[in-house]
Amino acid sequence: MVDNPLFLSLESPPGPVGPWLHEAITRAHMLHQQMDAAQAVASASRTPELRGMNASGPDSPYMLKLAEFCAQEIALARLLDSADLLVRAEGPGVSGATPRLASFNWLCAMVERQIKNLAGSILPMLEADKKLAVRELDLRLCGMAPGSLYAGFSLEGLSLSAGEGLLSKEFDSELLAQIRRAIHCLPLVPQFVGTDGIDTAALAVAIPDPAMRDAAMVAALQLAPTGSRGIHTLEITAPKSSDESARRSQSLGQPQRLVLKQALRHGAVLNKPKTGQFAGTLRALDLDGRAVLSDVSSSMSALRCSVPSSIANASKAFLGEKVTVIGQYEEDRSGKPRLMRASQITLANGALI
């Protein structure tokens, strides 16, 4: 290539510009063209005031508009290109150019916790391995943008330390894909939360895996702000999801929180439930009353269970033990039980919780 300072080197390009950023840069280029055209008109004018105009000056309306565009639109475009989950927080704690640090810290900590809870709910591993993988989940804050407060979060990988390589590269890749699918389910939940309840049948169509649906509902409940941290609403979207519905921004606030809390008050929400019992090993019980029944059968390695508060404390004494769980359950599309609302737990030796 001719050595000319007007040309950029094409050697080792950093990679293609993302579609959202490409569109934003194209619009910024149009602003530049308008600014150049205005300057040309002003320079050719016979009016002294116009002839003295500097369209690229620091106080020029064109430059001010361009600065605002770069600060908001280009920053947001970068997030839309890179984020697995994009949240827009609104409220007094995040309004203006300088959000409260306490509000921002709450937002990041809550998103991280719920993404890790989602990951932990779907990992097809033994409990000890699952804890390690979730702890080493490489979750990144991929940027911020004004507009109340936009924050984007991306899943980069599993940063297992040397000597702790529990996952093969192939399994690691499939595991990350599963976690991303779970993250992309989050914006689907608020679409089916009405003023009087949840459209369970429609939500089941949108998220056909009962276990993933329950995990997403629990995460959505926890993400819905109460307003006490200076944030009263979260709008969430999954820009990189293959599902168009997940790419639409959805709101989580106090109304959605109350409906979700009421729906989940008695445990997992089931669509077309059946009654039955399953035997297996009772695994970790979290604060949301969710446990895993593992080693159920040769064709079903794990079953997600909701444990009612009336027997949750007693259930902790039998973690790691062989138990029989009785209650209602829901199957996935293949007919495999995936989610159970326990009503009774019995130890293998016959002891009753």
Side-chain angles (χ1 to χ4, degrees), residues 299-324:
S299 61
M300 185 170 59
S301 60
L303 177 65
R304 181 177 172 89
C305 301
S306 70
V307 180
S309 57
S310 57
I311 62 173
N313 288 333
S315 301
K316 293 177 182 178
F318 302 117
L319 292 174
E321 301 288 344
K322 294 288 184 180
V323 298
T324 298

PDB file of all heavy atoms in Angstrom, residues 299-324:
ATOM      1  N   SER A 299     -31.591 -43.060  33.305  1.00  0.00           N
ATOM      2  CA  SER A 299     -31.993 -42.129  32.253  1.00  0.00           C
ATOM      3  C   SER A 299     -32.220 -40.708  32.774  1.00  0.00           C
ATOM      4  O   SER A 299     -32.448 -39.793  31.997  1.00  0.00           O
ATOM      5  CB  SER A 299     -33.284 -42.621  31.578  1.00  0.00           C
ATOM      6  OG  SER A 299     -34.344 -42.683  32.522  1.00  0.00           O
ATOM      7  N   MET A 300     -32.181 -40.506  34.090  1.00  0.00           N
ATOM      8  CA  MET A 300     -32.436 -39.194  34.683  1.00  0.00           C
ATOM      9  C   MET A 300     -31.441 -38.964  35.811  1.00  0.00           C
ATOM     10  O   MET A 300     -31.597 -39.492  36.911  1.00  0.00           O
ATOM     11  CB  MET A 300     -33.870 -39.113  35.205  1.00  0.00           C
ATOM     12  CG  MET A 300     -34.242 -37.725  35.729  1.00  0.00           C
ATOM     13  SD  MET A 300     -36.000 -37.537  36.076  1.00  0.00           S
ATOM     14  CE  MET A 300     -36.272 -38.819  37.281  1.00  0.00           C
ATOM     15  N   SER A 301     -30.406 -38.189  35.503  1.00  0.00           N
ATOM     16  CA  SER A 301     -29.342 -37.980  36.485  1.00  0.00           C
ATOM     17  C   SER A 301     -29.751 -37.024  37.596  1.00  0.00           C
ATOM     18  O   SER A 301     -29.251 -37.126  38.714  1.00  0.00           O
ATOM     19  CB  SER A 301     -28.081 -37.453  35.787  1.00  0.00           C
ATOM     20  OG  SER A 301     -28.359 -36.226  35.137  1.00  0.00           O
ATOM     21  N   ALA A 302     -30.645 -36.066  37.297  1.00  0.00           N
ATOM     22  CA  ALA A 302     -30.992 -35.066  38.295  1.00  0.00           C
ATOM     23  C   ALA A 302     -32.409 -34.554  38.083  1.00  0.00           C
ATOM     24  O   ALA A 302     -32.909 -34.508  36.962  1.00  0.00           O
ATOM     25  CB  ALA A 302     -30.008 -33.911  38.254  1.00  0.00           C
ATOM     26  N   LEU A 303     -33.037 -34.164  39.195  1.00  0.00           N
ATOM     27  CA  LEU A 303     -34.389 -33.603  39.182  1.00  0.00           C
ATOM     28  C   LEU A 303     -34.397 -32.390  40.103  1.00  0.00           C
ATOM     29  O   LEU A 303     -34.053 -32.499  41.280  1.00  0.00           O
ATOM     30  CB  LEU A 303     -35.397 -34.643  39.664  1.00  0.00           C
ATOM     31  CG  LEU A 303     -36.871 -34.210  39.792  1.00  0.00           C
ATOM     32  CD1 LEU A 303     -37.449 -33.869  38.423  1.00  0.00           C
ATOM     33  CD2 LEU A 303     -37.694 -35.313  40.461  1.00  0.00           C
ATOM     34  N   ARG A 304     -34.764 -31.220  39.564  1.00  0.00           N
ATOM     35  CA  ARG A 304     -34.843 -30.003  40.381  1.00  0.00           C
ATOM     36  C   ARG A 304     -36.101 -30.064  41.230  1.00  0.00           C
ATOM     37  O   ARG A 304     -37.184 -30.389  40.737  1.00  0.00           O
ATOM     38  CB  ARG A 304     -34.867 -28.771  39.469  1.00  0.00           C
ATOM     39  CG  ARG A 304     -34.933 -27.427  40.215  1.00  0.00           C
ATOM     40  CD  ARG A 304     -34.867 -26.287  39.210  1.00  0.00           C
ATOM     41  NE  ARG A 304     -35.115 -24.976  39.800  1.00  0.00           N
ATOM     42  CZ  ARG A 304     -34.205 -24.184  40.327  1.00  0.00           C
ATOM     43  NH1 ARG A 304     -32.946 -24.588  40.366  1.00  0.00           N
ATOM     44  NH2 ARG A 304     -34.514 -22.998  40.823  1.00  0.00           N
ATOM     45  N   CYS A 305     -35.965 -29.747  42.520  1.00  0.00           N
ATOM     46  CA  CYS A 305     -37.098 -29.836  43.453  1.00  0.00           C
ATOM     47  C   CYS A 305     -37.262 -28.519  44.211  1.00  0.00           C
ATOM     48  O   CYS A 305     -36.274 -27.890  44.585  1.00  0.00           O
ATOM     49  CB  CYS A 305     -36.883 -30.955  44.473  1.00  0.00           C
ATOM     50  SG  CYS A 305     -36.676 -32.601  43.789  1.00  0.00           S
ATOM     51  N   SER A 306     -38.500 -28.140  44.437  1.00  0.00           N
ATOM     52  CA  SER A 306     -38.777 -27.048  45.365  1.00  0.00           C
ATOM     53  C   SER A 306     -39.262 -27.676  46.667  1.00  0.00           C
ATOM     54  O   SER A 306     -40.100 -28.580  46.667  1.00  0.00           O
ATOM     55  CB  SER A 306     -39.823 -26.088  44.800  1.00  0.00           C
ATOM     56  OG  SER A 306     -41.104 -26.688  44.752  1.00  0.00           O
ATOM     57  N   VAL A 307     -38.680 -27.214  47.762  1.00  0.00           N
ATOM     58  CA  VAL A 307     -38.982 -27.781  49.082  1.00  0.00           C
ATOM     59  C   VAL A 307     -39.728 -26.724  49.878  1.00  0.00           C
ATOM     60  O   VAL A 307     -39.215 -25.609  50.064  1.00  0.00           O
ATOM     61  CB  VAL A 307     -37.685 -28.191  49.810  1.00  0.00           C
ATOM     62  CG1 VAL A 307     -38.006 -28.789  51.177  1.00  0.00           C
ATOM     63  CG2 VAL A 307     -36.891 -29.191  48.972  1.00  0.00           C
ATOM     64  N   PRO A 308     -40.941 -27.001  50.356  1.00  0.00           N
ATOM     65  CA  PRO A 308     -41.712 -25.994  51.101  1.00  0.00           C
ATOM     66  C   PRO A 308     -41.022 -25.620  52.404  1.00  0.00           C
ATOM     67  O   PRO A 308     -40.287 -26.415  52.999  1.00  0.00           O
ATOM     68  CB  PRO A 308     -43.055 -26.680  51.342  1.00  0.00           C
ATOM     69  CG  PRO A 308     -42.773 -28.142  51.243  1.00  0.00           C
ATOM     70  CD  PRO A 308     -41.676 -28.278  50.235  1.00  0.00           C
ATOM     71  N   SER A 309     -41.256 -24.379  52.838  1.00  0.00           N
ATOM     72  CA  SER A 309     -40.608 -23.887  54.058  1.00  0.00           C
ATOM     73  C   SER A 309     -40.950 -24.734  55.273  1.00  0.00           C
ATOM     74  O   SER A 309     -40.162 -24.820  56.213  1.00  0.00           O
ATOM     75  CB  SER A 309     -41.011 -22.427  54.304  1.00  0.00           C
ATOM     76  OG  SER A 309     -42.435 -22.303  54.385  1.00  0.00           O
ATOM     77  N   SER A 310     -42.119 -25.380  55.255  1.00  0.00           N
ATOM     78  CA  SER A 310     -42.544 -26.176  56.410  1.00  0.00           C
ATOM     79  C   SER A 310     -41.636 -27.378  56.664  1.00  0.00           C
ATOM     80  O   SER A 310     -41.565 -27.871  57.790  1.00  0.00           O
ATOM     81  CB  SER A 310     -43.988 -26.654  56.217  1.00  0.00           C
ATOM     82  OG  SER A 310     -44.102 -27.407  55.018  1.00  0.00           O
ATOM     83  N   ILE A 311     -40.942 -27.850  55.625  1.00  0.00           N
ATOM     84  CA  ILE A 311     -40.049 -28.992  55.824  1.00  0.00           C
ATOM     85  C   ILE A 311     -38.603 -28.686  55.403  1.00  0.00           C
ATOM     86  O   ILE A 311     -37.749 -29.559  55.416  1.00  0.00           O
ATOM     87  CB  ILE A 311     -40.537 -30.247  55.067  1.00  0.00           C
ATOM     88  CG1 ILE A 311     -40.556 -29.977  53.549  1.00  0.00           C
ATOM     89  CG2 ILE A 311     -41.897 -30.680  55.558  1.00  0.00           C
ATOM     90  CD1 ILE A 311     -40.876 -31.231  52.746  1.00  0.00           C
ATOM     91  N   ALA A 312     -38.329 -27.406  55.029  1.00  0.00           N
ATOM     92  CA  ALA A 312     -37.001 -27.047  54.526  1.00  0.00           C
ATOM     93  C   ALA A 312     -35.922 -27.230  55.587  1.00  0.00           C
ATOM     94  O   ALA A 312     -34.850 -27.785  55.310  1.00  0.00           O
ATOM     95  CB  ALA A 312     -37.012 -25.616  54.019  1.00  0.00           C
ATOM     96  N   ASN A 313     -36.163 -26.751  56.811  1.00  0.00           N
ATOM     97  CA  ASN A 313     -35.139 -26.860  57.861  1.00  0.00           C
ATOM     98  C   ASN A 313     -34.821 -28.311  58.176  1.00  0.00           C
ATOM     99  O   ASN A 313     -33.662 -28.692  58.335  1.00  0.00           O
ATOM    100  CB  ASN A 313     -35.601 -26.126  59.126  1.00  0.00           C
ATOM    101  CG  ASN A 313     -35.560 -24.618  58.957  1.00  0.00           C
ATOM    102  OD1 ASN A 313     -34.767 -24.104  58.175  1.00  0.00           O
ATOM    103  ND2 ASN A 313     -36.419 -23.919  59.691  1.00  0.00           N
ATOM    104  N   ALA A 314     -35.865 -29.130  58.271  1.00  0.00           N
ATOM    105  CA  ALA A 314     -35.635 -30.550  58.550  1.00  0.00           C
ATOM    106  C   ALA A 314     -34.917 -31.227  57.389  1.00  0.00           C
ATOM    107  O   ALA A 314     -34.127 -32.156  57.584  1.00  0.00           O
ATOM    108  CB  ALA A 314     -36.965 -31.243  58.832  1.00  0.00           C
ATOM    109  N   SER A 315     -35.169 -30.761  56.171  1.00  0.00           N
ATOM    110  CA  SER A 315     -34.558 -31.357  54.987  1.00  0.00           C
ATOM    111  C   SER A 315     -33.042 -31.204  54.983  1.00  0.00           C
ATOM    112  O   SER A 315     -32.317 -32.058  54.462  1.00  0.00           O
ATOM    113  CB  SER A 315     -35.127 -30.725  53.715  1.00  0.00           C
ATOM    114  OG  SER A 315     -36.522 -30.899  53.643  1.00  0.00           O
ATOM    115  N   LYS A 316     -32.552 -30.126  55.601  1.00  0.00           N
ATOM    116  CA  LYS A 316     -31.114 -29.886  55.599  1.00  0.00           C
ATOM    117  C   LYS A 316     -30.355 -31.008  56.305  1.00  0.00           C
ATOM    118  O   LYS A 316     -29.193 -31.269  55.985  1.00  0.00           O
ATOM    119  CB  LYS A 316     -30.806 -28.549  56.273  1.00  0.00           C
ATOM    120  CG  LYS A 316     -31.319 -27.341  55.502  1.00  0.00           C
ATOM    121  CD  LYS A 316     -31.046 -26.045  56.239  1.00  0.00           C
ATOM    122  CE  LYS A 316     -31.599 -24.849  55.479  1.00  0.00           C
ATOM    123  NZ  LYS A 316     -31.389 -23.566  56.206  1.00  0.00           N
ATOM    124  N   ALA A 317     -30.999 -31.657  57.252  1.00  0.00           N
ATOM    125  CA  ALA A 317     -30.342 -32.744  57.982  1.00  0.00           C
ATOM    126  C   ALA A 317     -30.110 -33.958  57.098  1.00  0.00           C
ATOM    127  O   ALA A 317     -29.311 -34.836  57.445  1.00  0.00           O
ATOM    128  CB  ALA A 317     -31.185 -33.144  59.204  1.00  0.00           C
ATOM    129  N   PHE A 318     -30.791 -34.043  55.948  1.00  0.00           N
ATOM    130  CA  PHE A 318     -30.692 -35.225  55.093  1.00  0.00           C
ATOM    131  C   PHE A 318     -29.967 -34.938  53.776  1.00  0.00           C
ATOM    132  O   PHE A 318     -30.040 -35.732  52.853  1.00  0.00           O
ATOM    133  CB  PHE A 318     -32.088 -35.785  54.811  1.00  0.00           C
ATOM    134  CG  PHE A 318     -32.836 -36.150  56.066  1.00  0.00           C
ATOM    135  CD1 PHE A 318     -34.011 -35.501  56.402  1.00  0.00           C
ATOM    136  CD2 PHE A 318     -32.347 -37.125  56.907  1.00  0.00           C
ATOM    137  CE1 PHE A 318     -34.693 -35.825  57.561  1.00  0.00           C
ATOM    138  CE2 PHE A 318     -33.017 -37.458  58.068  1.00  0.00           C
ATOM    139  CZ  PHE A 318     -34.188 -36.808  58.400  1.00  0.00           C
ATOM    140  N   LEU A 319     -29.266 -33.787  53.713  1.00  0.00           N
ATOM    141  CA  LEU A 319     -28.485 -33.495  52.522  1.00  0.00           C
ATOM    142  C   LEU A 319     -27.384 -34.540  52.356  1.00  0.00           C
ATOM    143  O   LEU A 319     -26.678 -34.884  53.293  1.00  0.00           O
ATOM    144  CB  LEU A 319     -27.873 -32.094  52.623  1.00  0.00           C
ATOM    145  CG  LEU A 319     -28.868 -30.931  52.561  1.00  0.00           C
ATOM    146  CD1 LEU A 319     -28.174 -29.611  52.824  1.00  0.00           C
ATOM    147  CD2 LEU A 319     -29.580 -30.895  51.220  1.00  0.00           C
ATOM    148  N   GLY A 320     -27.272 -35.054  51.153  1.00  0.00           N
ATOM    149  CA  GLY A 320     -26.289 -36.100  50.869  1.00  0.00           C
ATOM    150  C   GLY A 320     -26.792 -37.497  51.146  1.00  0.00           C
ATOM    151  O   GLY A 320     -26.083 -38.478  50.882  1.00  0.00           O
ATOM    152  N   GLU A 321     -28.023 -37.595  51.656  1.00  0.00           N
ATOM    153  CA  GLU A 321     -28.598 -38.903  51.981  1.00  0.00           C
ATOM    154  C   GLU A 321     -29.535 -39.373  50.860  1.00  0.00           C
ATOM    155  O   GLU A 321     -30.060 -38.576  50.083  1.00  0.00           O
ATOM    156  CB  GLU A 321     -29.398 -38.819  53.289  1.00  0.00           C
ATOM    157  CG  GLU A 321     -28.590 -38.373  54.496  1.00  0.00           C
ATOM    158  CD  GLU A 321     -27.627 -39.446  54.981  1.00  0.00           C
ATOM    159  OE1 GLU A 321     -27.801 -40.619  54.576  1.00  0.00           O
ATOM    160  OE2 GLU A 321     -26.708 -39.118  55.750  1.00  0.00           O
ATOM    161  N   LYS A 322     -29.759 -40.689  50.837  1.00  0.00           N
ATOM    162  CA  LYS A 322     -30.719 -41.268  49.901  1.00  0.00           C
ATOM    163  C   LYS A 322     -32.124 -41.033  50.441  1.00  0.00           C
ATOM    164  O   LYS A 322     -32.426 -41.384  51.589  1.00  0.00           O
ATOM    165  CB  LYS A 322     -30.470 -42.767  49.735  1.00  0.00           C
ATOM    166  CG  LYS A 322     -29.158 -43.116  49.065  1.00  0.00           C
ATOM    167  CD  LYS A 322     -29.188 -42.778  47.587  1.00  0.00           C
ATOM    168  CE  LYS A 322     -27.902 -43.222  46.883  1.00  0.00           C
ATOM    169  NZ  LYS A 322     -27.919 -42.906  45.437  1.00  0.00           N
ATOM    170  N   VAL A 323     -32.988 -40.418  49.625  1.00  0.00           N
ATOM    171  CA  VAL A 323     -34.344 -40.093  50.070  1.00  0.00           C
ATOM    172  C   VAL A 323     -35.344 -40.442  48.973  1.00  0.00           C
ATOM    173  O   VAL A 323     -34.981 -40.660  47.815  1.00  0.00           O
ATOM    174  CB  VAL A 323     -34.478 -38.591  50.418  1.00  0.00           C
ATOM    175  CG1 VAL A 323     -33.567 -38.198  51.558  1.00  0.00           C
ATOM    176  CG2 VAL A 323     -34.214 -37.724  49.184  1.00  0.00           C
ATOM    177  N   THR A 324     -36.619 -40.479  49.386  1.00  0.00           N
ATOM    178  CA  THR A 324     -37.730 -40.577  48.442  1.00  0.00           C
ATOM    179  C   THR A 324     -38.539 -39.296  48.557  1.00  0.00           C
ATOM    180  O   THR A 324     -38.915 -38.882  49.654  1.00  0.00           O
ATOM    181  CB  THR A 324     -38.623 -41.788  48.751  1.00  0.00           C
ATOM    182  OG1 THR A 324     -37.865 -42.986  48.619  1.00  0.00           O
ATOM    183  CG2 THR A 324     -39.815 -41.832  47.787  1.00  0.00           C
TER     184      THR A 324
END
